[in-house]
Amino acid sequence: MNGEELTEQETALYDRQIRVWGADAQRRLSKSHILVYGMKGTVAEFCKNIVLAGVGSVTLVDDREVTEEALSANFLILPDENLYHGKTLAEVCCDSLKEFNPMVHVSVEKGDISTFGVEFFGKFDAVVISCCSLAKKKLINQKRQKLPKRVAFYMVDCRGCCGEIFVDLKDYKYSKKKLEETVECQLEFPSFEDTISVPWKALPKRVSKLYFAMRVIEQFEDAEGRNPGETSIADLPGVLKLRKELCETNSVNESQIPDALLERLLIGTSEYPPVCAIIGGILGQEVIKAISGKGDPLKNFFFFDAMDGKGLIEDISEPKPVS
Amino acid sequence: MKELNDGKPRKIKSVRPYSFTLEEDTTNFGTYVKGGIVTQVKQPRVLNFKPLRAALKDPGDFLLSDFSKFDRPPLLHIAFQALDRFICEIGRFPVARSEEDAQKFISIAGNINECLGEGGVEDINPKLLTHFAFGARAVLNPMAAMFGGIVGQEVVKACSGKFHPLFQISVFGSKLQKNLEDAKVFIVGSGALGCEFLKNVALMGVSCGSQGKLTITDDDVIEKSNLSRQFLFRDWNIGQAKSTVAASAAVSINPQLKIEALQNRVGPETEFVFNDDFWENLTVVINALDNVDARLYVDQRCLYFQKPLLESGTLGAKCNTQMVIPHLTENYGASRDPPEKQAPMCTVHSFPHNIDHCLTWARSEFEGLLEKTPAEVNAYLSNPSEYATAMRNAADAQAKDNLERILQCLEQEKCETFQDCVTWARLRFEDYFVNRVKQLTFTFPEDATTSTGAPFWSAPKRFPRPLQFSTTDPSHLQFIMAASILRAETFGIPVPDWVKNTKMLAKAVEKVIVPDFQPKEGVKIETIETDERATSLSTGSVDDAAVINELLFKLERCRNNLPSGFRMKPIQFEKDDDTNYHMDLIAGLANMRARNYSIPEVDKLKAKFIAGRIIPAIATSTAMATGLVCLELYKVLDGAHKVEDYRNTFANLALPLFSMAEPVPPKVMKHRDMSWTVWDRWILRGNPTVRELIQWLKDKGLNAYSISYGSCLLFNNVFPRHKERLDKKVVDVAREIAKEDLPPYRSHLDVVVACEDDEDNDINIPQISIYYR
């Protein structure tokens, strides 16, 4: 076991969780650096979870102002104007998160994340983004792909009662240590761009309908130049038109993406606190797994819909030719 | 067969309760002599993720599954494929209850199964598939599954934040949002789950209306190890009441929240706080508890007052949720996990074979030495004459035992200086790890045999060897240090600084004169699991009485030598304070004992885990469990949902696995043309007599033979003198027997009646509410 021992203070605070993942994993956690972009309710839940878990540092990026909407599902922002007036979302959340665990270094990075250089992302072990346009998702994912070091990439979004997590760990090696033996495991993750360009026809029929619906909305917002979540029911005709086009190019039946689901996603611009807790819990655990190198990660999409209460893991990747 | 002693893992087969076969050629091995202990080792497994297409052909492990279908995954896997093909070919789902569609469906499934060749199942079970086809529509229609159509739109509105609690009060047109706001919610517990619940309900706007009220209760205070997941608490809150701190944090998230924080444990002793009025006014109860007993109690209350109970729990990365809805689902207590295994007492006392046994023993010794005995000493010293009378009256082995321990503590082992404490610790070491082992191996030598001639020391028993105390062994000195410090604490002796200096401590220990030990003949040691102790304890004898008098006399003499007002300080085991030496002593006791029996030792962290019965916990699974419960809370508060709308969940974030199941409906009891469940209650008005109650049941074909009220037996037909109660009013008998007044606001009492039908079969009938005014 290399590296320094956990301090007495750490052992006391993290006692109950060290019993879940061990002192070694806790040590790795406390040396990890996480970049978070897009401070919505789900991300707030996620941040709470990893700050409590005791990661080394969390860097928040979000220059938007605090709006009433932002207040709604984000418990890091207390509804007191004196506390948030004149501050960015990232700054307000940073203040709250610091209180959760003084041992974690929480800070704010100002500026437009799209302009940050490749080497900036290289400072982190995991990057978590939310509320990004399609172009921004691709861009950040690419920058991260260029790094020689493996930086775990996560994308999370909640629309109303639906939530989605995308995971890209590049070539992820993790060891499973049980008693005397250590088993090396390896998984290959496709990039975000490669994932979403897998022809729909090539996917198994029972892939979650949410996958397709989220891609339609994503492309719609991109084509219309909207910010993520800036949709309403008035956009339905446009979205249905786009669905038709996409389904034709991909030669799949339009019934794969039900109208009702698209409607729900269009009007679901706010988040739903219980869904935030669920998705934020799962995402938190995934990031902890990737950093500690313990446990099988989810590959590579997770969908949750409160309507049917189902949580589905989908592996969306180009089927490998049988060799 | 010394070849097997290399400690390498080996594959085994044909596992039976008492035997297994090695998958190895042992013909060249030496001959088997005796003994040998085998430990089960789980081998790690490499997981290969398959693309879904390949997975469809060969499902491998089922990762995502509905609990209700866990029993037959491979068959259901085929069924789902068949259903897909059916829909492709016919263009629709099989019609519910259509035999024709079901037959077609079964033949498709048969074809698929044949195509799978060896990967298929032996029997495609047409009966199950028929049910599957009948129910295909319902199973696969998610809209029907969760919100039952009713909320559909309502919830979408709620999700869309159209009426966010914080700033859109005017738009609360919806019934659901109003229900949320006016809900009277009781959250039991304010730990990890409680904190997450409070945050969620505050954000959801639950109990934020003028009629709304949220009550949270927890009798615990905040400690350091809570902070890693109970995120409403801060460092400076350590020592404060959990519920109060959590409630004020929740109000800062949503100032509209109407919340009251209490510090009462929920249980029979606090029914004056959580009285009938309190329970009757509740809309829903959310359990955020950490133990089964409290859960069962709340379950009983909810069952009685017919309140929905949302139950959840976590263990490490696992979490589960269970919905208990009046009349729709079974109650929490209806299905129980098997009780935790406990090692037999003789194993713990004399024949430990793993570290758990050593730790259990260490904890019980800790309690005996530092908590029970000092408490017993204090009981005697605070009122010697009353204590003496009680002991003389009891006059049993237990009383004798107590007095012996008190006398030992105040006479032979009395400590006045810290050096006395060191001496005590050193002698305890000798007793525990040397003398007792010598005695045990004297009574049962290594070659001892049982009455059947088999070697006595055969697995799982391990043959112990005494330790040799040495001041150069750091673990020996640590034991002495922890034991002497704690001993000093019980006697109120200041602990000198030199105790932490190894050399000084070693010097102090070397001063101790350790008497030689000679094993005794005829010492009885329990070897099988019979509770001989209990029987010998209950039989008092003339000898005991004499001995007790003798002991009391000696004690009286001791007491006169004590400074006036002398009391000991009992120590309660506290696992979480790393500076109190409690865990050091327990780990020391357990590890020295493990050394006696050649059992691998553990570090302090692991020792604390086992001895402190610590439940591993992390923030992520807690957050998720509460999110899932709060989704169900919407349905409860919306009202009028069917059982199939609700979901119980089991998730394991480490795998990851996420599965849900419909709650189990309550068991329906039937008798003649009547049926009822655990949720039903029968009502009998008009202040009946016992005879009238029995006749009322007789008219239903039920022969009542026993009537009870709480823990009081009101009537049983085997007791002749109960006959005179027949013509008394039930309520008067209850008053008389229970010797308590019924609350003035209550107009009924609930009795439990045991009945048989005419064929003498016991019939479990509902509680009967008897109205007497």
Side-chain angles (χ1 to χ4, degrees), chain A residues 45 48 285 306-307 309, chain B residues 146 164 196 199 609 620 660:
Chain A
E45 284 281 349
K48 171 204 74 187
Q285 193 61 32
M307 211 52 136
Chain B
M146 193 175 187
H164 190 272
E196 292 281 343
K199 172 209 57 188
F609 184 35
T620 48
M660 24 231 328

Side-chain angles (χ1 to χ4, degrees), chain B residues 56 137 165 320 632 676:
Chain B
L56 266 179
R137 267 198 98 111
N320 76 296
E632 304 300 308
W676 63 87

Side-chain angles (χ1 to χ4, degrees), chain A residues 15-16 19 45 48 52 68 72 79 99-100 176 179 183 202 204 206 267 272 285 289 296 306-307 309, chain B residues 41 46-47 52-53 84 146-147 164 167 196 199 228 234 252 576 605 608-609 617 620 634 653 660:
Chain A
D15 183 87
R16 298 301 185 269
R19 299 176 191 285
E45 284 281 349
K48 171 204 74 187
L52 290 176
E68 291 201 333
S72 69
E99 280 188 10
F100 286 177
K176 284 207 269 185
L179 297 160
V183 177
R206 255 200 321 280
I267 59 171
Y272 192 24
Q285 193 61 32
K289 273 195 257 178
D296 300 301
M307 211 52 136
Chain B
V41 189
V46 184
L47 279 185
L52 263 173
R53 194 181 305 163
D84 263 8
M146 193 175 187
F147 288 106
H164 190 272
F167 44 87
E196 292 281 343
K199 172 209 57 188
S228 73
R234 304 283 173 269
S252 68
D576 278 318
L605 199 74
K608 186 167 146 189
F609 184 35
T620 48
Y634 278 103
L653 291 176
M660 24 231 328

Side-chain angles (χ1 to χ4, degrees), chain A residues 8-9 11-21 23 45 48-50 52-53 67-75 77-80 96 99-103 160-161 174 176-187 201-207 260 263-264 267-275 277-286 288-289 294-299 302 304-315 317-320, chain B residues 7 9 40-53 56 63-64 66 77 80-81 84 88 139-140 142-143 145-147 152-153 155-156 158-162 164 166-168 196 199-200 203-204 223-236 249 251-255 316-317 575-576 578-579 604-606 608-610 614-621 623-624 626-628 630-631 634-635 647 653-658 660:
Chain A
E8 236 172 76
Q9 204 190 0
T11 317
L13 179 64
Y14 302 133
D15 183 87
R16 298 301 185 269
Q17 64 195 37
I18 291 173
R19 299 176 191 285
V20 178
W21 49 59
E45 284 281 349
K48 171 204 74 187
N49 292 336
I50 57 162
L52 290 176
T67 58
E68 291 201 333
E69 213 246 274
L71 275 170
S72 69
N74 188 336
F75 64 92
I77 311 169
L78 302 181
D80 176 354
S96 298
E99 280 188 10
F100 286 177
N101 187 347
M103 283 194 263
C161 49
Y174 58 108
K176 284 207 269 185
K177 203 174 173 193
K178 276 188 182 173
L179 297 160
E180 287 95 333
E181 275 193 57
T182 309
V183 177
E184 298 292 331
C185 305
Q186 188 169 0
L187 282 174
K201 193 74 189 153
L203 296 173
K205 254 193 103 179
R206 255 200 321 280
V207 164
E263 266 179 51
R264 284 204 285 140
I267 59 171
T269 52
S270 285
E271 293 166 290
Y272 192 24
V275 178
I278 296 166
I279 299 284
I282 292 170
L283 181 60
Q285 193 61 32
E286 284 306 315
I288 290 164
K289 273 195 257 178
K294 288 212 165 183
D296 300 301
L298 77 78
K299 180 172 184 277
F302 177 80
F304 181 79
D305 187 350
M307 211 52 136
D308 59 11
K310 274 189 186 146
L312 295 168
I313 299 162
E314 301 284 7
D315 186 351
S317 44
E318 193 82 56
K320 286 227 180 74
Chain B
Q40 188 185 356
V41 189
K42 286 193 182 118
Q43 286 299 301
R45 206 163 49 106
V46 184
L47 279 185
N48 291 311
F49 284 70
K50 281 178 212 149
L52 263 173
R53 194 181 305 163
L56 266 179
L63 193 59
L64 291 167
D66 221 328
H77 186 70
F80 273 108
Q81 289 182 65
D84 263 8
C88 278
V139 173
L140 292 183
M143 296 303 284
M146 193 175 187
F147 288 106
Q153 200 47 34
V155 166
V156 172
C159 312
S160 63
K162 196 169 166 192
H164 190 272
L166 297 185
F167 44 87
Q168 299 202 25
E196 292 281 343
K199 172 209 57 188
N200 290 354
L203 288 172
M204 287 159 72
E223 53 184 71
K224 184 99 184 169
S225 66
N226 298 151
L227 301 180
S228 73
R229 64 201 183 290
Q230 303 178 15
F231 74 103
L232 298 176
F233 307 147
R234 304 283 173 269
D235 227 18
W236 55 86
V251 169
S252 68
I253 293 174
N254 188 343
K575 60 186 183 288
D576 278 318
D578 278 341
T579 60
K604 213 172 118 181
L605 199 74
K606 181 87 195 296
K608 186 167 146 189
F609 184 35
I610 305 171
I614 290 173
I615 297 174
I618 51 179
T620 48
S621 40
M624 177 159 148
T626 60
L628 289 164
C630 286
L631 282 177
Y634 278 103
K635 297 176 210 170
R647 283 288 176 276
L653 291 176
L655 292 179
L657 168 120
F658 198 89
M660 24 231 328

